[in-house]
Amino acid sequence: MEHPENNPEYAGLTVNSGVEPVSAINPYLQRNRFVRRKLSVDDYVNGILAGNVTILGQAVTLVESTIPAHQQMAQEVIEKCLPYSGKSIRVGISGVPGAGKSTSIDEFGIHLLNEKGGKIAVLAIDPSSERTKGSILGDKTRMEKLAVHPKSFIRPSPAAGSLGGVARKTRETIILCEAAGFDKILVETVGVGQSETACHSMVDFFLLIQLAGTGDELQGIKRGIMEMADGIVINKCDGNNVDKCQLAATQFRNALHLFPKPESGWQPEVLTYSGFYGYGIKEVWDMVYRYIDFVKENGYFEYRRNEQAKYWMYESIKEQLHNSFFQNSTIADMLQAQEKSVLEGQKTSFVAAKQLLDAYFALIR
Ligand code: GDP
């Protein structure tokens, strides 16, 4: 019998067909890493309603985008989320830089989650971000405990656009957060003027954080801002600052009594606390919830939200007219020429403005 090795099938020099060399780059990793699947409007809405914070974050980015296609999509997402929104308490928190907003919000957030459960979102309106293209508020690194809490969502202020635009985006973000099941929304704003009005126009309770200083505590605080406050809290009431804080609280109480009673029928309260040491935090939030019960009872809660909805309708009209005018390329060219003739004294500002507006209305007709 012939030896099997003589059979050509077993010849030692047979070259087997090899296998494909393995790619140095994992093709799956590459696909996942660089090409993110585009989400549809329904993907966003379903993700948000399921409480998926990654998708919520992406939807907020869409709201903040200046690309028209993104804005269009964002509006569709917001519209679909709207029926699921509104079931939260919205609290505005204002104070000058250094007043202790981030320290306090960190404590407030943890207190609320421990005492009331639910989920908390921290948003911000930051007028300085337009200039710095960055945000000083709502930064995760400033709220250490809340930032790592699974039931919290922290988002810095939208960076681009006018204050009106920034505020509108924050308001739209509130709707998305509520649809995602966040039932406590804190809107932080820096205490330097107009941004407070914008913040006030989207919250149920406006909390003003103050510091005890030396001398006249009320100096430098605009009357309008005090009138907006539903509660004033004096922070840093700790160590040898306690007496000064209590004195400041008395001065604020006296000043508030001189104002006419607010529309809500609620007499704004003044409290002292320490965000850093955690003293008096419970009392601050007992006050907020007392207010909410009070205005829900007398109907002001609903009324204020309706008034705010109306206000935002007019704000949106103004913003869109403004954008439509200034983003029109023909108008943009004309603007420079008209500006020049105004500066050179050839035309009055009113004539120049009228000519531009006439041209604009003729263009869009
Ligand atoms: P923000 O700019 O309003 O956000 O203020 P921060 O929360 O960053 O606080 C400004 C400074 O005040 C920080 O150095 C804090 O440690 C300090 N601070 C905040 N809250 C308190 C407080 O309750 N007591 C004391 N003593 N210091 C505080």
Side-chain angles (χ1 to χ4, degrees), residues 94-105 136-137 142-143 188-190 209 211 234-239 241 273-279:
S94 170
V96 293
K101 292 181 295 302
S102 40
T103 314
S104 304
I105 291 174
I136 54 165
L137 297 181
R142 296 162 64 241
M143 297 161 198
E188 181 184 11
T189 190
V190 76
I209 299 183
L211 293 177
I234 323 277
N235 190 17
K236 310 197 186 181
C237 187
D238 47 52
N241 207 21
Y273 79 108
S274 166
F276 189 81
Y277 293 98
Y279 306 146

PDB file of all heavy atoms in Angstrom, residues 94-105 136-137 142-143 188-190 209 211 234-239 241 273-279, ligand 1:
ATOM      1  N   SER A  94     -30.563  84.600  42.060  1.00  0.00           N
ATOM      2  CA  SER A  94     -29.742  85.693  41.561  1.00  0.00           C
ATOM      3  C   SER A  94     -28.845  86.235  42.664  1.00  0.00           C
ATOM      4  O   SER A  94     -29.184  86.177  43.844  1.00  0.00           O
ATOM      5  CB  SER A  94     -30.682  86.791  41.056  1.00  0.00           C
ATOM      6  OG  SER A  94     -29.953  87.939  40.787  1.00  0.00           O
ATOM      7  N   GLY A  95     -27.728  86.769  42.277  1.00  0.00           N
ATOM      8  CA  GLY A  95     -26.821  87.376  43.249  1.00  0.00           C
ATOM      9  C   GLY A  95     -25.574  87.830  42.524  1.00  0.00           C
ATOM     10  O   GLY A  95     -25.237  87.289  41.470  1.00  0.00           O
ATOM     11  N   VAL A  96     -24.912  88.822  43.079  1.00  0.00           N
ATOM     12  CA  VAL A  96     -23.704  89.327  42.429  1.00  0.00           C
ATOM     13  C   VAL A  96     -22.612  88.242  42.466  1.00  0.00           C
ATOM     14  O   VAL A  96     -22.692  87.330  43.287  1.00  0.00           O
ATOM     15  CB  VAL A  96     -23.182  90.614  43.120  1.00  0.00           C
ATOM     16  CG1 VAL A  96     -24.162  91.764  42.929  1.00  0.00           C
ATOM     17  CG2 VAL A  96     -22.913  90.366  44.595  1.00  0.00           C
ATOM     18  N   PRO A  97     -21.610  88.334  41.577  1.00  0.00           N
ATOM     19  CA  PRO A  97     -20.519  87.356  41.648  1.00  0.00           C
ATOM     20  C   PRO A  97     -19.901  87.371  43.054  1.00  0.00           C
ATOM     21  O   PRO A  97     -19.685  88.437  43.619  1.00  0.00           O
ATOM     22  CB  PRO A  97     -19.524  87.855  40.602  1.00  0.00           C
ATOM     23  CG  PRO A  97     -20.346  88.658  39.647  1.00  0.00           C
ATOM     24  CD  PRO A  97     -21.437  89.278  40.474  1.00  0.00           C
ATOM     25  N   GLY A  98     -19.709  86.200  43.607  1.00  0.00           N
ATOM     26  CA  GLY A  98     -19.132  86.116  44.953  1.00  0.00           C
ATOM     27  C   GLY A  98     -20.180  86.042  46.056  1.00  0.00           C
ATOM     28  O   GLY A  98     -19.850  85.831  47.221  1.00  0.00           O
ATOM     29  N   ALA A  99     -21.454  86.197  45.688  1.00  0.00           N
ATOM     30  CA  ALA A  99     -22.520  86.132  46.695  1.00  0.00           C
ATOM     31  C   ALA A  99     -22.667  84.716  47.250  1.00  0.00           C
ATOM     32  O   ALA A  99     -23.244  84.517  48.319  1.00  0.00           O
ATOM     33  CB  ALA A  99     -23.842  86.603  46.091  1.00  0.00           C
ATOM     34  N   GLY A 100     -22.145  83.762  46.508  1.00  0.00           N
ATOM     35  CA  GLY A 100     -22.203  82.371  46.975  1.00  0.00           C
ATOM     36  C   GLY A 100     -23.260  81.555  46.266  1.00  0.00           C
ATOM     37  O   GLY A 100     -23.772  80.582  46.812  1.00  0.00           O
ATOM     38  N   LYS A 101     -23.551  81.908  45.014  1.00  0.00           N
ATOM     39  CA  LYS A 101     -24.606  81.197  44.279  1.00  0.00           C
ATOM     40  C   LYS A 101     -24.249  79.726  44.070  1.00  0.00           C
ATOM     41  O   LYS A 101     -25.046  78.854  44.360  1.00  0.00           O
ATOM     42  CB  LYS A 101     -24.867  81.854  42.913  1.00  0.00           C
ATOM     43  CG  LYS A 101     -25.493  83.229  43.011  1.00  0.00           C
ATOM     44  CD  LYS A 101     -25.740  83.827  41.651  1.00  0.00           C
ATOM     45  CE  LYS A 101     -24.464  84.109  40.871  1.00  0.00           C
ATOM     46  NZ  LYS A 101     -23.529  85.016  41.544  1.00  0.00           N
ATOM     47  N   SER A 102     -23.044  79.479  43.562  1.00  0.00           N
ATOM     48  CA  SER A 102     -22.739  78.078  43.249  1.00  0.00           C
ATOM     49  C   SER A 102     -22.613  77.244  44.511  1.00  0.00           C
ATOM     50  O   SER A 102     -23.118  76.118  44.559  1.00  0.00           O
ATOM     51  CB  SER A 102     -21.496  77.964  42.389  1.00  0.00           C
ATOM     52  OG  SER A 102     -20.527  78.861  42.793  1.00  0.00           O
ATOM     53  N   THR A 103     -21.992  77.798  45.555  1.00  0.00           N
ATOM     54  CA  THR A 103     -21.879  77.069  46.825  1.00  0.00           C
ATOM     55  C   THR A 103     -23.283  76.749  47.330  1.00  0.00           C
ATOM     56  O   THR A 103     -23.568  75.627  47.754  1.00  0.00           O
ATOM     57  CB  THR A 103     -21.156  77.947  47.876  1.00  0.00           C
ATOM     58  OG1 THR A 103     -20.006  78.517  47.267  1.00  0.00           O
ATOM     59  CG2 THR A 103     -20.768  77.161  49.096  1.00  0.00           C
ATOM     60  N   SER A 104     -24.165  77.744  47.253  1.00  0.00           N
ATOM     61  CA  SER A 104     -25.531  77.562  47.767  1.00  0.00           C
ATOM     62  C   SER A 104     -26.315  76.568  46.930  1.00  0.00           C
ATOM     63  O   SER A 104     -27.001  75.704  47.483  1.00  0.00           O
ATOM     64  CB  SER A 104     -26.274  78.902  47.774  1.00  0.00           C
ATOM     65  OG  SER A 104     -25.565  79.852  48.507  1.00  0.00           O
ATOM     66  N   ILE A 105     -26.215  76.696  45.608  1.00  0.00           N
ATOM     67  CA  ILE A 105     -27.019  75.820  44.747  1.00  0.00           C
ATOM     68  C   ILE A 105     -26.608  74.360  44.948  1.00  0.00           C
ATOM     69  O   ILE A 105     -27.447  73.463  44.956  1.00  0.00           O
ATOM     70  CB  ILE A 105     -26.918  76.260  43.270  1.00  0.00           C
ATOM     71  CG1 ILE A 105     -27.634  77.605  43.100  1.00  0.00           C
ATOM     72  CG2 ILE A 105     -27.539  75.231  42.331  1.00  0.00           C
ATOM     73  CD1 ILE A 105     -27.494  78.243  41.741  1.00  0.00           C
ATOM     74  N   ILE A 136     -19.725  81.732  32.926  1.00  0.00           N
ATOM     75  CA  ILE A 136     -19.265  81.722  34.312  1.00  0.00           C
ATOM     76  C   ILE A 136     -20.292  81.067  35.223  1.00  0.00           C
ATOM     77  O   ILE A 136     -20.006  80.777  36.358  1.00  0.00           O
ATOM     78  CB  ILE A 136     -18.937  83.150  34.826  1.00  0.00           C
ATOM     79  CG1 ILE A 136     -20.112  84.091  34.636  1.00  0.00           C
ATOM     80  CG2 ILE A 136     -17.692  83.680  34.162  1.00  0.00           C
ATOM     81  CD1 ILE A 136     -19.987  85.380  35.425  1.00  0.00           C
ATOM     82  N   LEU A 137     -21.487  80.848  34.695  1.00  0.00           N
ATOM     83  CA  LEU A 137     -22.527  80.266  35.546  1.00  0.00           C
ATOM     84  C   LEU A 137     -22.866  78.846  35.124  1.00  0.00           C
ATOM     85  O   LEU A 137     -22.660  78.444  34.008  1.00  0.00           O
ATOM     86  CB  LEU A 137     -23.802  81.102  35.466  1.00  0.00           C
ATOM     87  CG  LEU A 137     -23.733  82.541  35.966  1.00  0.00           C
ATOM     88  CD1 LEU A 137     -25.086  83.179  35.824  1.00  0.00           C
ATOM     89  CD2 LEU A 137     -23.267  82.600  37.382  1.00  0.00           C
ATOM     90  N   ARG A 142     -18.227  73.999  39.534  1.00  0.00           N
ATOM     91  CA  ARG A 142     -18.530  74.861  40.673  1.00  0.00           C
ATOM     92  C   ARG A 142     -19.524  74.203  41.626  1.00  0.00           C
ATOM     93  O   ARG A 142     -19.761  74.700  42.701  1.00  0.00           O
ATOM     94  CB  ARG A 142     -19.055  76.211  40.184  1.00  0.00           C
ATOM     95  CG  ARG A 142     -18.012  76.984  39.381  1.00  0.00           C
ATOM     96  CD  ARG A 142     -18.648  78.072  38.545  1.00  0.00           C
ATOM     97  NE  ARG A 142     -19.277  79.081  39.353  1.00  0.00           N
ATOM     98  CZ  ARG A 142     -20.564  79.375  39.307  1.00  0.00           C
ATOM     99  NH1 ARG A 142     -21.367  78.697  38.524  1.00  0.00           N
ATOM    100  NH2 ARG A 142     -21.054  80.330  40.040  1.00  0.00           N
ATOM    101  N   MET A 143     -20.147  73.120  41.187  1.00  0.00           N
ATOM    102  CA  MET A 143     -21.126  72.444  42.052  1.00  0.00           C
ATOM    103  C   MET A 143     -20.710  70.989  42.182  1.00  0.00           C
ATOM    104  O   MET A 143     -21.236  70.118  41.507  1.00  0.00           O
ATOM    105  CB  MET A 143     -22.511  72.570  41.434  1.00  0.00           C
ATOM    106  CG  MET A 143     -22.965  73.995  41.346  1.00  0.00           C
ATOM    107  SD  MET A 143     -24.288  74.196  40.189  1.00  0.00           S
ATOM    108  CE  MET A 143     -24.202  75.954  39.918  1.00  0.00           C
ATOM    109  N   GLU A 188     -30.033  79.972  37.441  1.00  0.00           N
ATOM    110  CA  GLU A 188     -29.074  80.858  38.092  1.00  0.00           C
ATOM    111  C   GLU A 188     -28.802  82.064  37.191  1.00  0.00           C
ATOM    112  O   GLU A 188     -28.703  81.932  35.977  1.00  0.00           O
ATOM    113  CB  GLU A 188     -27.776  80.064  38.295  1.00  0.00           C
ATOM    114  CG  GLU A 188     -26.682  80.830  38.972  1.00  0.00           C
ATOM    115  CD  GLU A 188     -25.377  80.038  39.060  1.00  0.00           C
ATOM    116  OE1 GLU A 188     -25.267  78.973  38.420  1.00  0.00           O
ATOM    117  OE2 GLU A 188     -24.469  80.506  39.751  1.00  0.00           O
ATOM    118  N   THR A 189     -28.695  83.233  37.788  1.00  0.00           N
ATOM    119  CA  THR A 189     -28.332  84.391  36.981  1.00  0.00           C
ATOM    120  C   THR A 189     -27.470  85.336  37.800  1.00  0.00           C
ATOM    121  O   THR A 189     -27.554  85.375  39.015  1.00  0.00           O
ATOM    122  CB  THR A 189     -29.576  85.100  36.418  1.00  0.00           C
ATOM    123  OG1 THR A 189     -29.149  86.062  35.463  1.00  0.00           O
ATOM    124  CG2 THR A 189     -30.383  85.801  37.477  1.00  0.00           C
ATOM    125  N   VAL A 190     -26.644  86.066  37.094  1.00  0.00           N
ATOM    126  CA  VAL A 190     -25.731  86.945  37.791  1.00  0.00           C
ATOM    127  C   VAL A 190     -26.426  88.282  38.024  1.00  0.00           C
ATOM    128  O   VAL A 190     -27.181  88.755  37.184  1.00  0.00           O
ATOM    129  CB  VAL A 190     -24.409  87.045  36.992  1.00  0.00           C
ATOM    130  CG1 VAL A 190     -24.541  87.916  35.797  1.00  0.00           C
ATOM    131  CG2 VAL A 190     -23.271  87.496  37.854  1.00  0.00           C
ATOM    132  N   ILE A 209     -30.044  86.476  46.429  1.00  0.00           N
ATOM    133  CA  ILE A 209     -29.011  86.240  47.448  1.00  0.00           C
ATOM    134  C   ILE A 209     -28.249  87.542  47.685  1.00  0.00           C
ATOM    135  O   ILE A 209     -27.750  88.159  46.739  1.00  0.00           O
ATOM    136  CB  ILE A 209     -28.023  85.135  47.005  1.00  0.00           C
ATOM    137  CG1 ILE A 209     -28.760  83.811  46.796  1.00  0.00           C
ATOM    138  CG2 ILE A 209     -26.906  84.970  48.031  1.00  0.00           C
ATOM    139  CD1 ILE A 209     -27.850  82.641  46.427  1.00  0.00           C
ATOM    140  N   LEU A 211     -25.483  89.832  50.452  1.00  0.00           N
ATOM    141  CA  LEU A 211     -24.444  89.713  51.477  1.00  0.00           C
ATOM    142  C   LEU A 211     -24.588  90.878  52.444  1.00  0.00           C
ATOM    143  O   LEU A 211     -25.035  91.960  52.064  1.00  0.00           O
ATOM    144  CB  LEU A 211     -23.065  89.785  50.826  1.00  0.00           C
ATOM    145  CG  LEU A 211     -22.685  88.629  49.911  1.00  0.00           C
ATOM    146  CD1 LEU A 211     -21.326  88.884  49.294  1.00  0.00           C
ATOM    147  CD2 LEU A 211     -22.691  87.312  50.672  1.00  0.00           C
ATOM    148  N   ILE A 234     -29.887  86.325  53.040  1.00  0.00           N
ATOM    149  CA  ILE A 234     -28.564  86.888  53.303  1.00  0.00           C
ATOM    150  C   ILE A 234     -27.624  85.715  53.555  1.00  0.00           C
ATOM    151  O   ILE A 234     -27.797  84.971  54.532  1.00  0.00           O
ATOM    152  CB  ILE A 234     -28.569  87.811  54.554  1.00  0.00           C
ATOM    153  CG1 ILE A 234     -29.861  88.612  54.653  1.00  0.00           C
ATOM    154  CG2 ILE A 234     -27.304  88.661  54.612  1.00  0.00           C
ATOM    155  CD1 ILE A 234     -29.960  89.846  53.860  1.00  0.00           C
ATOM    156  N   ASN A 235     -26.659  85.560  52.678  1.00  0.00           N
ATOM    157  CA  ASN A 235     -25.744  84.416  52.763  1.00  0.00           C
ATOM    158  C   ASN A 235     -24.546  84.735  53.670  1.00  0.00           C
ATOM    159  O   ASN A 235     -24.342  85.883  54.053  1.00  0.00           O
ATOM    160  CB  ASN A 235     -25.267  84.048  51.354  1.00  0.00           C
ATOM    161  CG  ASN A 235     -24.506  82.730  51.321  1.00  0.00           C
ATOM    162  OD1 ASN A 235     -24.579  81.919  52.251  1.00  0.00           O
ATOM    163  ND2 ASN A 235     -23.757  82.509  50.252  1.00  0.00           N
ATOM    164  N   LYS A 236     -23.801  83.705  53.966  1.00  0.00           N
ATOM    165  CA  LYS A 236     -22.561  83.780  54.766  1.00  0.00           C
ATOM    166  C   LYS A 236     -22.848  84.190  56.197  1.00  0.00           C
ATOM    167  O   LYS A 236     -22.061  84.903  56.823  1.00  0.00           O
ATOM    168  CB  LYS A 236     -21.531  84.708  54.097  1.00  0.00           C
ATOM    169  CG  LYS A 236     -21.315  84.381  52.613  1.00  0.00           C
ATOM    170  CD  LYS A 236     -20.062  84.956  52.030  1.00  0.00           C
ATOM    171  CE  LYS A 236     -20.006  84.698  50.528  1.00  0.00           C
ATOM    172  NZ  LYS A 236     -18.829  85.192  49.863  1.00  0.00           N
ATOM    173  N   CYS A 237     -24.020  83.756  56.700  1.00  0.00           N
ATOM    174  CA  CYS A 237     -24.363  84.048  58.090  1.00  0.00           C
ATOM    175  C   CYS A 237     -23.674  82.991  58.951  1.00  0.00           C
ATOM    176  O   CYS A 237     -24.280  82.014  59.389  1.00  0.00           O
ATOM    177  CB  CYS A 237     -25.888  84.017  58.250  1.00  0.00           C
ATOM    178  SG  CYS A 237     -26.409  84.554  59.872  1.00  0.00           S
ATOM    179  N   ASP A 238     -22.387  83.150  59.109  1.00  0.00           N
ATOM    180  CA  ASP A 238     -21.602  82.190  59.899  1.00  0.00           C
ATOM    181  C   ASP A 238     -20.435  82.935  60.552  1.00  0.00           C
ATOM    182  O   ASP A 238     -20.156  84.090  60.214  1.00  0.00           O
ATOM    183  CB  ASP A 238     -21.101  81.034  59.017  1.00  0.00           C
ATOM    184  CG  ASP A 238     -20.486  81.505  57.698  1.00  0.00           C
ATOM    185  OD1 ASP A 238     -19.595  82.377  57.734  1.00  0.00           O
ATOM    186  OD2 ASP A 238     -20.895  81.017  56.620  1.00  0.00           O
ATOM    187  N   GLY A 239     -19.783  82.280  61.487  1.00  0.00           N
ATOM    188  CA  GLY A 239     -18.620  82.871  62.168  1.00  0.00           C
ATOM    189  C   GLY A 239     -18.967  84.197  62.809  1.00  0.00           C
ATOM    190  O   GLY A 239     -20.046  84.352  63.404  1.00  0.00           O
ATOM    191  N   ASN A 241     -19.829  86.800  61.371  1.00  0.00           N
ATOM    192  CA  ASN A 241     -20.637  87.581  60.439  1.00  0.00           C
ATOM    193  C   ASN A 241     -22.124  87.557  60.815  1.00  0.00           C
ATOM    194  O   ASN A 241     -22.926  88.236  60.179  1.00  0.00           O
ATOM    195  CB  ASN A 241     -20.436  86.998  59.026  1.00  0.00           C
ATOM    196  CG  ASN A 241     -20.651  88.024  57.939  1.00  0.00           C
ATOM    197  OD1 ASN A 241     -20.565  89.229  58.173  1.00  0.00           O
ATOM    198  ND2 ASN A 241     -20.966  87.549  56.756  1.00  0.00           N
ATOM    199  N   TYR A 273     -28.795  82.689  56.092  1.00  0.00           N
ATOM    200  CA  TYR A 273     -28.338  81.290  56.026  1.00  0.00           C
ATOM    201  C   TYR A 273     -26.848  81.264  55.703  1.00  0.00           C
ATOM    202  O   TYR A 273     -26.237  82.309  55.437  1.00  0.00           O
ATOM    203  CB  TYR A 273     -29.147  80.524  54.962  1.00  0.00           C
ATOM    204  CG  TYR A 273     -28.681  80.775  53.539  1.00  0.00           C
ATOM    205  CD1 TYR A 273     -27.996  79.797  52.819  1.00  0.00           C
ATOM    206  CD2 TYR A 273     -28.892  82.013  52.932  1.00  0.00           C
ATOM    207  CE1 TYR A 273     -27.556  80.031  51.529  1.00  0.00           C
ATOM    208  CE2 TYR A 273     -28.451  82.248  51.638  1.00  0.00           C
ATOM    209  CZ  TYR A 273     -27.782  81.250  50.938  1.00  0.00           C
ATOM    210  OH  TYR A 273     -27.335  81.505  49.677  1.00  0.00           O
ATOM    211  N   SER A 274     -26.298  80.068  55.736  1.00  0.00           N
ATOM    212  CA  SER A 274     -24.906  79.919  55.310  1.00  0.00           C
ATOM    213  C   SER A 274     -24.820  78.755  54.339  1.00  0.00           C
ATOM    214  O   SER A 274     -25.024  77.589  54.728  1.00  0.00           O
ATOM    215  CB  SER A 274     -24.001  79.661  56.521  1.00  0.00           C
ATOM    216  OG  SER A 274     -22.748  79.196  56.069  1.00  0.00           O
ATOM    217  N   GLY A 275     -24.558  79.079  53.096  1.00  0.00           N
ATOM    218  CA  GLY A 275     -24.471  78.039  52.071  1.00  0.00           C
ATOM    219  C   GLY A 275     -23.270  77.144  52.315  1.00  0.00           C
ATOM    220  O   GLY A 275     -23.305  75.946  52.059  1.00  0.00           O
ATOM    221  N   PHE A 276     -22.222  77.730  52.831  1.00  0.00           N
ATOM    222  CA  PHE A 276     -20.973  76.996  53.015  1.00  0.00           C
ATOM    223  C   PHE A 276     -21.091  75.975  54.143  1.00  0.00           C
ATOM    224  O   PHE A 276     -20.691  74.824  54.011  1.00  0.00           O
ATOM    225  CB  PHE A 276     -19.843  77.986  53.303  1.00  0.00           C
ATOM    226  CG  PHE A 276     -18.486  77.365  53.287  1.00  0.00           C
ATOM    227  CD1 PHE A 276     -17.824  77.135  52.093  1.00  0.00           C
ATOM    228  CD2 PHE A 276     -17.873  76.998  54.478  1.00  0.00           C
ATOM    229  CE1 PHE A 276     -16.573  76.546  52.080  1.00  0.00           C
ATOM    230  CE2 PHE A 276     -16.625  76.407  54.472  1.00  0.00           C
ATOM    231  CZ  PHE A 276     -15.972  76.184  53.273  1.00  0.00           C
ATOM    232  N   TYR A 277     -21.660  76.407  55.293  1.00  0.00           N
ATOM    233  CA  TYR A 277     -21.789  75.513  56.454  1.00  0.00           C
ATOM    234  C   TYR A 277     -23.109  74.766  56.471  1.00  0.00           C
ATOM    235  O   TYR A 277     -23.329  73.899  57.312  1.00  0.00           O
ATOM    236  CB  TYR A 277     -21.598  76.299  57.751  1.00  0.00           C
ATOM    237  CG  TYR A 277     -20.175  76.812  57.900  1.00  0.00           C
ATOM    238  CD1 TYR A 277     -19.851  78.125  57.555  1.00  0.00           C
ATOM    239  CD2 TYR A 277     -19.162  75.968  58.351  1.00  0.00           C
ATOM    240  CE1 TYR A 277     -18.543  78.585  57.671  1.00  0.00           C
ATOM    241  CE2 TYR A 277     -17.851  76.431  58.461  1.00  0.00           C
ATOM    242  CZ  TYR A 277     -17.547  77.735  58.124  1.00  0.00           C
ATOM    243  OH  TYR A 277     -16.268  78.170  58.229  1.00  0.00           O
ATOM    244  N   GLY A 278     -24.015  75.158  55.561  1.00  0.00           N
ATOM    245  CA  GLY A 278     -25.296  74.447  55.496  1.00  0.00           C
ATOM    246  C   GLY A 278     -26.287  74.856  56.578  1.00  0.00           C
ATOM    247  O   GLY A 278     -27.228  74.131  56.859  1.00  0.00           O
ATOM    248  N   TYR A 279     -26.094  76.036  57.204  1.00  0.00           N
ATOM    249  CA  TYR A 279     -27.070  76.491  58.207  1.00  0.00           C
ATOM    250  C   TYR A 279     -28.252  77.163  57.496  1.00  0.00           C
ATOM    251  O   TYR A 279     -28.038  77.983  56.601  1.00  0.00           O
ATOM    252  CB  TYR A 279     -26.484  77.556  59.150  1.00  0.00           C
ATOM    253  CG  TYR A 279     -25.196  77.197  59.857  1.00  0.00           C
ATOM    254  CD1 TYR A 279     -24.252  78.193  60.114  1.00  0.00           C
ATOM    255  CD2 TYR A 279     -24.931  75.892  60.267  1.00  0.00           C
ATOM    256  CE1 TYR A 279     -23.056  77.886  60.770  1.00  0.00           C
ATOM    257  CE2 TYR A 279     -23.744  75.588  60.918  1.00  0.00           C
ATOM    258  CZ  TYR A 279     -22.809  76.586  61.166  1.00  0.00           C
ATOM    259  OH  TYR A 279     -21.639  76.296  61.794  1.00  0.00           O
TER     260      TYR A 279
HETATM  261  P1  GDP B   1     -20.863  82.901  43.167  1.00  0.00           P
HETATM  262  O1  GDP B   1     -19.901  83.703  42.366  1.00  0.00           O
HETATM  263  O2  GDP B   1     -22.059  83.702  43.549  1.00  0.00           O
HETATM  264  O3  GDP B   1     -21.235  81.598  42.536  1.00  0.00           O
HETATM  265  O4  GDP B   1     -20.137  82.569  44.561  1.00  0.00           O
HETATM  266  P2  GDP B   1     -19.363  81.266  45.046  1.00  0.00           P
HETATM  267  O5  GDP B   1     -20.340  80.196  45.422  1.00  0.00           O
HETATM  268  O6  GDP B   1     -18.314  80.921  44.059  1.00  0.00           O
HETATM  269  O7  GDP B   1     -18.722  81.785  46.411  1.00  0.00           O
HETATM  270  C1  GDP B   1     -17.790  82.846  46.456  1.00  0.00           C
HETATM  271  C2  GDP B   1     -16.921  82.702  47.682  1.00  0.00           C
HETATM  272  O8  GDP B   1     -17.698  82.824  48.878  1.00  0.00           O
HETATM  273  C3  GDP B   1     -16.225  81.360  47.765  1.00  0.00           C
HETATM  274  O9  GDP B   1     -14.917  81.562  48.204  1.00  0.00           O
HETATM  275  C4  GDP B   1     -17.030  80.614  48.804  1.00  0.00           C
HETATM  276  O10 GDP B   1     -16.254  79.663  49.492  1.00  0.00           O
HETATM  277  C5  GDP B   1     -17.498  81.693  49.716  1.00  0.00           C
HETATM  278  N1  GDP B   1     -18.761  81.354  50.355  1.00  0.00           N
HETATM  279  C6  GDP B   1     -19.892  80.905  49.725  1.00  0.00           C
HETATM  280  N2  GDP B   1     -20.873  80.668  50.623  1.00  0.00           N
HETATM  281  C7  GDP B   1     -20.375  80.973  51.848  1.00  0.00           C
HETATM  282  C8  GDP B   1     -20.921  80.943  53.182  1.00  0.00           C
HETATM  283  O11 GDP B   1     -22.055  80.561  53.427  1.00  0.00           O
HETATM  284  N3  GDP B   1     -20.100  81.367  54.179  1.00  0.00           N
HETATM  285  C9  GDP B   1     -18.843  81.792  53.959  1.00  0.00           C
HETATM  286  N4  GDP B   1     -18.123  82.176  54.995  1.00  0.00           N
HETATM  287  N5  GDP B   1     -18.285  81.816  52.712  1.00  0.00           N
HETATM  288  C10 GDP B   1     -19.033  81.425  51.676  1.00  0.00           C
END
